[in-house]
Amino acid sequence: MTQFRRQSLVAYGQPLCETVAERPTPRGTEVLVRIDCCGVCHSDLHIQDGYFSLGGDKRLDITKDRTLPFTLGHEIAGVIETAGEAAEGVAPGRRVAVYPWIGCGTCAACRAGEENLCSNNRHLGITVDGGYATHVVVPHPRYLLDYAPLSPDLAGMLMCSGLTAFSALGHLGDRAERGPVLLIGMGGVGMMGLSIARALLREPPLIADIDADKRAAALAAGAARAFDPSDPQARRTIMTATGGLLAVCDFVGSEKSLQFATGVLGRGGKVVVTGLFGGTFSIAAAMIAIKAMTIEGTLTGTLAEARELLDLAKSGKLATIPTHERPLDHAESALDDLRAGRVVGRTVLTM
Ligand SMILES: [Zn+2]
Ligand SMILES: [Zn+2]
């Protein structure tokens, strides 16, 4: 009997523990994927905590979304092992990335292809067991995407931070081609956004970050100009140079980043927000109409966007990100290091 080993969340706010179970048997359209690697993501820390900080002492409780023990991990690449009798096109041995943002399939969001926004979802590693494990059960083969010739760790990461950045840029629509785009926050998602923007847009984007090292890294990766939002002159410099921007992505999502983002908009401009940093943002209500402003949130991306992004990456146009591999049973120390800010680049668990 093949063992099914997992690093499981057995209590919120506590270290992960190894749990061993019988290998699941896929039924119907289900596919059992033997996992090669699973990325460790910042959002895994929030799930381990059981809450999102909303700023101040306000918290969004997220403990009701799953039953314990629970397996984290949503940046998964692996190999098809077996499948249920109704799963089609699932040759065992096929190497696949797993699209994790799986919906109920029947609600209005799912029917519109936005399973990532389904409120009755089965998101892997978020509401149903994910990839800190030797295997994962995927409900239908359509969520399995061929990633060759990419590396499995890149393919897994593209399903989360890559997809988030790709979808945010997509939500800018044609505004992204009507003038320079500004990307705020050059963390993991922001650097992916820069790489994707360089591949997709005519003009290299502007970037903003309060950290000088991150600004330097973004300039080295091809940003046209870098701004420090904490510099009181930054807003005026952008307004003078551009007359106001039409397209801004806020990968931070804090009070200050949103103030900066909305402050540099021209008339008809749009801010797409993916960041979850927290805090409370206020704006003079009349400015929304006076500037004909759009503020739109996005959350990961759709299955169709995931396919488009993989195609873009396969064309060789995206920059790679430094990755550290750790064995599955080091999952807790990987989370600890991420929490303590000791990680440069990305961490991937290998099985
Ligand atoms: Zn993630
Ligand atoms: Zn749904």
Side-chain angles (χ1 to χ4, degrees), residues 41-43 74-75 101 160-161:
C41 180
H42 247 105
S43 61
H74 53 268
E75 304 183 359
W101 315 114
C160 181
S161 54

Side-chain angles (χ1 to χ4, degrees), residues 62-326:
I62 52 170
T63 60
K64 291 170 199 71
D65 298 345
R66 62 196 69 79
T67 52
L68 302 182
F70 181 77
T71 309
L72 298 167
H74 53 268
E75 304 183 359
I76 307 167
V79 178
I80 293 175
E81 191 158 286
T82 58
E85 65 289 351
E88 289 173 9
V90 285
R94 202 180 119 204
R95 299 165 71 81
V96 289
V98 181
Y99 174 82
W101 315 114
I102 297 168
C104 69
T106 57
C107 74
C110 287
R111 288 200 310 273
E114 296 181 329
E115 296 186 59
N116 53 314
L117 305 183
C118 175
S119 52
N120 189 26
N121 67 67
R122 301 172 285 172
H123 292 174
L124 298 179
I126 311 291
T127 51
V128 305
D129 284 333
Y132 288 15
T134 54
H135 297 78
V136 65
V137 177
V138 179
H140 194 282
R142 68 202 196 90
Y143 303 112
L144 304 176
L145 310 178
D146 296 311
Y147 64 78
L150 305 174
S151 68
D153 60 285
L154 175 63
M157 184 271 288
L158 289 176
M159 296 298 109
C160 181
S161 54
L163 184 58
T164 298
F166 182 78
S167 179
L169 285 163
H171 277 78
L172 293 173
D174 66 355
R175 288 175 175 88
E177 291 292 1
R178 284 160 52 197
V181 172
L182 173 67
L183 310 178
I184 301 175
M186 288 293 112
V189 179
M191 286 298 282
M192 276 307 302
L194 172 57
S195 178
I196 295 166
R198 294 279 286 121
L200 292 181
L201 303 179
R202 271 197 309 270
E203 264 186 76
L206 315 174
I207 70 94
D209 200 292
I210 53 174
D211 184 300
D213 290 342
K214 289 185 176 159
R215 291 197 299 276
L219 286 169
R225 284 183 77 175
F227 298 91
D228 176 2
S230 65
D231 171 0
Q233 294 303 317
R235 180 182 169 277
R236 185 178 300 173
T237 307
I238 292 175
M239 294 307 274
T240 306
T242 66
L245 298 169
L246 291 177
V248 179
C249 287
D250 182 356
F251 298 119
V252 181
S254 72
E255 175 187 358
K256 285 189 170 147
S257 68
L258 269 164
Q259 265 167 5
F260 189 73
T262 52
V264 295
L265 286 186
R267 282 203 167 150
K270 181 173 188 176
V271 179
V272 175
V273 188
T274 71
L276 298 166
F277 187 88
T280 303
F281 163 68
S282 73
I283 188 167
M287 290 307 285
I288 296 171
I290 289 169
K291 277 200 167 181
M293 175 190 302
T294 307
I295 301 175
E296 184 169 299
T298 63
L299 186 66
T300 68
T302 65
L303 180 58
E305 287 169 327
R307 291 182 189 283
E308 285 177 49
L309 174 59
L310 273 179
D311 286 344
L312 177 68
K314 287 175 193 174
S315 74
K317 288 185 184 153
L318 299 187
T320 54
I321 288 174
T323 301
H324 312 277
E325 292 190 355
R326 293 205 192 180

